[in-house]
Each structure stands twice: as structure tokens, then as C-alpha cells.
Amino acid sequence: IIKDAAFMGSGISSITIPDAVVYLGSLAFSETPNLDDVQLSNHIMTLNYGLFMNATGLTSFVVPEHVTVIADEVFSGATSLETIDIHENVISFGTGVFKYANSLVSLEIPDGITSVSEDFCRGCDSLISVNLPDSITTIADSAFSGAISLENITLPPNLFSIGSDAFANNKLLKTILIPESVKNIGPGAFRGAESLTELVLPENVKEINNYLCDGCIVLNNVVFSTTINKIGKYAFRNAEKLLQMSI
């Protein structure tokens, strides 16, 4: 067993965990600016809370095939992390897993995952490519908030809910096709998406929530159903180019 915060703040640059180790505690390798080579025990099945939080030297990581759970904020603040390889055996992600991992360029979420968790890639300002599997039904609050380099993303066909601020401040996001399966879009989901030009809301969406497109300064067309029963406050504030709304 390696207990919580065992190497927190240390100067280690590489570590190999022998197979005798069956547990890695929370924050075990957090705040390690030099760590860039990690070999895990074959008996570790969970990457616990904040395991590599603020491990600013880590540039790449391959999740071992025996790992099935990646807990909250495992790579949060790992600002040099550019690539991550996640295998199909991972069945669960916690919140904020890659929060402020602002060198991460691309991400592929394995099939079978049903939710993109809260703050999942918040502040990942180098992220340009995300592959979401068809199994995803929920994108939680602030999941991709502040992913300022993300120009487009394909939403899965069975998506049911998009959380508050899910794509807020995605300044380069130009288009987003929302599937007909979506019923709920939270407040501020696209606020600050300064390059978004068009938004088509599915028939099942009955409310346009507060701040939905606040600050979408080039948005020029919005299409929504006649069954919309509420348009929230500041929903289209400062949408200076909005000349047409189709109902």
C-alpha cells in the first residue's frame, strides 16, 4: 500500500510501482514538478482522487489495462499533459479528471461510458479534438467550459442532457449539432461561445434556460420548436448579430 500524499511535493522524476502494491492513495503523486515516467503495478484497479493533481512535469500517460476507475481530479492541473491513452476497460470517471490540464490536445472517451462528468475538461484550453462514444447520455455542468480551442464537437445520438455551462467560453466553437434525443439544456450552456453562428434546438427541448447564449456575439440564427414555453433571462444577451429566430 502507498498511502495518501506519500510523494506529494517530492522531486521524483520516475517511479515503478511493483506488483506487490495493490493500492495507491489519494494525491500520492500530486505537486510533483519533475515526474514524467510512471509504471504502475498490475494490481492497481483505481486511480484515486488527485493522484497526479498538479503533477506539472507529466507530459503523457497510458492508462494501464487493469485500471477500471479514474476518480475525481486525477490529472487536474497537470498542465504539461499533452496525450492520454485510455483503454476500453475503464468504466467510470470522476469529476474534474482533466480540469486545467491545459496542454491536452485530444481525448477519446471509451465506449460504455454514459456520462461526461462535471468539470471533466474545464479549462483545457489546448483541446482541439474530443471523441464521444454513442453510449454517452449526459454531458454534465461545465464539462468543457473554457476549452477555448475546440472548434467543433460531434454529440452522440443518444444524448439526453447538456449541463449548465457545458460549453461556456468555447470561443472558437463554430457549429454544434444537437441531436433530437436531447431534452434538457442547462443555463449558460453556450454562453461566451463567440464564434457560434447558428443554434438549432430539438423538438424535445421545452425551455430556453437563462444565459443560454449570453455573449454569443456572432450568433445570427436560432431555430426552436413552437412547444417552447419559456425563454429565460439574458438568454441571448449581447447576441449582436441575431437577426432571425425561427419557430
XYZ file of all heavy atoms in Angstrom, residues 148-185:
291
model
N -11.110 26.648 -25.020
C -11.175 27.759 -25.968
C -10.676 27.417 -27.365
O -10.896 28.188 -28.302
C -10.411 28.989 -25.434
C -8.931 28.656 -25.214
C -11.050 29.508 -24.158
C -8.086 29.854 -24.816
N -10.006 26.264 -27.533
C -9.501 25.887 -28.859
C -10.410 24.903 -29.580
O -10.148 24.550 -30.739
C -8.094 25.273 -28.725
O -7.184 26.202 -28.189
N -11.477 24.473 -28.926
C -12.375 23.473 -29.506
C -13.304 24.140 -30.523
O -14.150 24.953 -30.168
C -13.195 22.821 -28.386
C -13.974 21.553 -28.725
C -13.022 20.425 -29.118
C -14.830 21.128 -27.535
N -13.133 23.783 -31.803
C -13.912 24.413 -32.873
C -15.203 23.674 -33.175
O -16.188 24.288 -33.580
C -13.072 24.516 -34.150
C -11.904 25.481 -34.031
C -11.219 25.724 -35.360
O -11.830 25.425 -36.416
O -10.080 26.201 -35.361
N -15.194 22.359 -33.016
C -16.428 21.602 -33.233
C -16.366 20.303 -32.435
O -15.294 19.834 -32.069
C -16.677 21.323 -34.722
C -15.515 20.609 -35.376
O -15.294 19.426 -35.130
N -14.761 21.308 -36.215
N -17.528 19.771 -32.175
C -17.625 18.509 -31.442
C -18.881 17.804 -31.920
O -19.925 18.435 -32.136
C -17.648 18.749 -29.914
C -17.637 17.425 -29.151
C -18.819 19.622 -29.496
C -17.395 17.585 -27.653
N -18.779 16.498 -32.123
C -19.929 15.700 -32.531
C -20.574 15.105 -31.289
O -19.949 14.343 -30.551
C -19.504 14.573 -33.494
O -18.898 15.148 -34.656
C -20.707 13.747 -33.915
N -21.826 15.496 -31.066
C -22.546 14.985 -29.905
C -23.170 13.630 -30.240
O -23.678 13.430 -31.344
C -23.621 15.974 -29.481
C -23.111 17.374 -29.083
C -24.272 18.254 -28.640
C -22.063 17.286 -27.987
N -23.146 12.704 -29.291
C -23.643 11.340 -29.566
C -25.159 11.306 -29.767
O -25.890 12.154 -29.228
C -23.226 10.554 -28.320
C -22.994 11.573 -27.266
C -22.557 12.820 -27.954
N -25.647 10.337 -30.516
C -27.057 10.316 -30.934
C -28.048 10.033 -29.812
O -29.246 10.292 -29.975
C -27.101 9.203 -31.988
C -25.945 8.313 -31.648
C -24.883 9.222 -31.128
N -27.576 9.498 -28.699
C -28.486 9.172 -27.595
C -28.384 10.163 -26.440
O -28.900 9.900 -25.347
C -28.196 7.758 -27.088
C -28.389 6.705 -28.161
O -29.402 6.704 -28.855
N -27.413 5.830 -28.319
N -27.755 11.285 -26.688
C -27.576 12.293 -25.643
C -28.932 12.803 -25.162
O -29.809 13.121 -25.958
C -26.740 13.444 -26.182
C -26.296 14.507 -25.176
C -25.340 13.926 -24.145
C -25.628 15.672 -25.904
N -29.086 12.893 -23.834
C -30.344 13.323 -23.236
C -30.237 14.711 -22.611
O -31.154 15.513 -22.702
C -30.763 12.311 -22.163
C -32.005 12.680 -21.413
C -33.258 12.393 -21.934
C -31.937 13.319 -20.179
C -34.416 12.731 -21.247
C -33.083 13.666 -19.485
C -34.328 13.373 -20.015
N -29.084 14.999 -22.002
C -28.968 16.229 -21.224
C -27.607 16.894 -21.420
O -26.571 16.218 -21.427
C -29.183 15.905 -19.736
O -29.035 17.047 -18.935
N -27.638 18.230 -21.552
C -26.433 19.055 -21.607
C -26.483 19.991 -20.409
O -27.436 20.750 -20.235
C -26.370 19.867 -22.920
C -26.321 18.925 -24.127
C -25.148 20.792 -22.918
C -26.426 19.639 -25.470
N -25.476 19.943 -19.561
C -25.499 20.662 -18.299
C -25.205 22.146 -18.409
O -24.829 22.669 -19.466
N -25.365 22.822 -17.299
C -25.082 24.256 -17.214
C -23.627 24.534 -17.560
O -22.712 23.814 -17.108
C -25.364 24.760 -15.788
O -26.696 24.520 -15.420
N -23.411 25.563 -18.370
C -22.056 25.988 -18.745
C -21.230 24.888 -19.399
O -19.998 24.948 -19.408
C -21.298 26.532 -17.520
C -21.855 27.850 -17.034
O -22.161 28.709 -17.863
O -21.984 28.032 -15.805
N -21.883 23.888 -19.955
C -21.162 22.739 -20.510
C -20.131 23.140 -21.559
O -19.023 22.594 -21.605
C -22.146 21.737 -21.111
N -20.481 24.110 -22.404
C -19.574 24.583 -23.450
C -19.344 26.095 -23.327
O -19.042 26.768 -24.307
C -20.141 24.244 -24.831
C -20.289 22.766 -25.077
C -21.509 22.136 -24.877
C -19.207 21.996 -25.481
C -21.657 20.772 -25.085
C -19.335 20.630 -25.694
C -20.558 20.014 -25.490
N -19.447 26.592 -22.133
C -19.273 28.033 -21.913
C -17.858 28.480 -22.249
O -16.880 27.764 -21.990
C -19.583 28.379 -20.451
N -17.770 29.650 -22.855
C -16.484 30.256 -23.199
C -15.643 29.390 -24.140
O -14.416 29.477 -24.123
C -15.690 30.596 -21.928
C -16.428 31.597 -21.064
O -16.916 32.616 -21.558
N -16.548 31.308 -19.779
N -16.335 28.585 -24.944
C -15.647 27.878 -26.045
C -15.554 28.863 -27.201
O -16.384 28.861 -28.117
C -16.427 26.621 -26.449
C -16.269 25.468 -25.488
O -16.579 24.336 -25.809
N -15.784 25.747 -24.288
N -14.561 29.698 -27.175
C -14.507 30.874 -28.032
C -14.353 30.565 -29.513
O -14.664 31.402 -30.361
C -13.405 31.813 -27.545
C -13.682 32.361 -26.152
C -12.667 33.390 -25.738
C -12.918 33.883 -24.321
N -14.250 34.504 -24.164
N -13.870 29.372 -29.864
C -13.711 29.019 -31.276
C -14.794 28.080 -31.787
O -14.789 27.710 -32.960
C -12.332 28.389 -31.514
C -11.117 29.289 -31.282
C -9.828 28.555 -31.672
C -11.220 30.591 -32.079
N -15.721 27.687 -30.919
C -16.777 26.756 -31.323
C -17.691 27.408 -32.362
O -18.397 28.371 -32.063
C -17.590 26.326 -30.096
C -18.637 25.240 -30.328
C -17.972 23.917 -30.689
C -19.509 25.068 -29.085
N -17.665 26.865 -33.569
C -18.414 27.472 -34.678
C -19.766 26.817 -34.896
O -20.751 27.494 -35.205
C -17.587 27.396 -35.963
C -16.293 28.209 -35.906
C -15.497 28.039 -37.181
C -14.197 28.839 -37.120
N -13.374 28.645 -38.331
N -19.796 25.501 -34.787
C -21.046 24.770 -35.018
C -21.193 23.672 -33.981
O -20.208 23.102 -33.516
C -21.065 24.124 -36.421
O -19.966 23.211 -36.536
C -20.968 25.172 -37.511
N -22.435 23.395 -33.636
C -22.716 22.244 -32.776
C -24.098 21.724 -33.145
O -25.083 22.455 -33.122
C -22.603 22.609 -31.280
C -22.718 21.347 -30.414
C -23.602 23.679 -30.865
C -22.190 21.522 -29.009
N -24.140 20.473 -33.543
C -25.395 19.839 -33.941
C -25.946 19.083 -32.738
O -25.342 18.122 -32.260
C -25.163 18.885 -35.117
C -26.396 18.139 -35.637
C -27.448 19.120 -36.157
C -25.998 17.154 -36.737
N -27.077 19.550 -32.239
C -27.677 18.938 -31.054
C -28.645 17.849 -31.503
O -29.593 18.129 -32.239
C -28.409 19.991 -30.210
C -27.432 21.098 -29.798
C -29.041 19.353 -28.978
C -28.065 22.257 -29.079
N -28.429 16.608 -31.082
C -29.305 15.522 -31.545
C -30.729 15.655 -31.018
O -30.973 16.272 -29.976
C -28.622 14.258 -30.994
C -27.734 14.724 -29.905
C -27.326 16.119 -30.234
N -31.666 15.057 -31.733
C -33.083 15.150 -31.386
C -33.403 14.501 -30.043
O -34.448 14.763 -29.453
C -33.940 14.514 -32.487
C -34.027 15.340 -33.747
C -34.692 16.695 -33.513
O -35.672 16.759 -32.744
O -34.224 17.687 -34.096
N -32.513 13.663 -29.552
C -32.748 12.976 -28.279
C -32.635 13.908 -27.071
O -33.115 13.586 -25.981
C -31.744 11.829 -28.121
O -30.417 12.314 -28.260
N -32.021 15.070 -27.249
C -31.777 15.984 -26.121
C -33.078 16.625 -25.652
O -33.857 17.156 -26.440
C -30.753 17.075 -26.512
C -30.685 18.163 -25.440
C -29.381 16.451 -26.708
N -33.292 16.590 -24.320
C -34.484 17.193 -23.718
C -34.141 18.363 -22.801
O -34.972 19.245 -22.595
C -35.271 16.141 -22.931
C -35.917 15.078 -23.793
C -36.799 14.150 -22.968
C -37.500 13.141 -23.860
N -38.383 12.229 -23.066
N -32.958 18.338 -22.250
C -32.577 19.374 -21.279
C -31.253 20.025 -21.660
O -30.267 19.330 -21.918
C -32.440 18.760 -19.877
C -33.724 18.117 -19.390
O -34.770 18.749 -19.386
N -33.638 16.851 -19.002
N -31.248 21.351 -21.695
C -30.017 22.114 -21.905
C -29.950 23.143 -20.781
O -30.829 23.993 -20.645
C -29.995 22.816 -23.276
C -30.167 21.785 -24.402
C -28.686 23.573 -23.461
C -30.238 22.403 -25.794
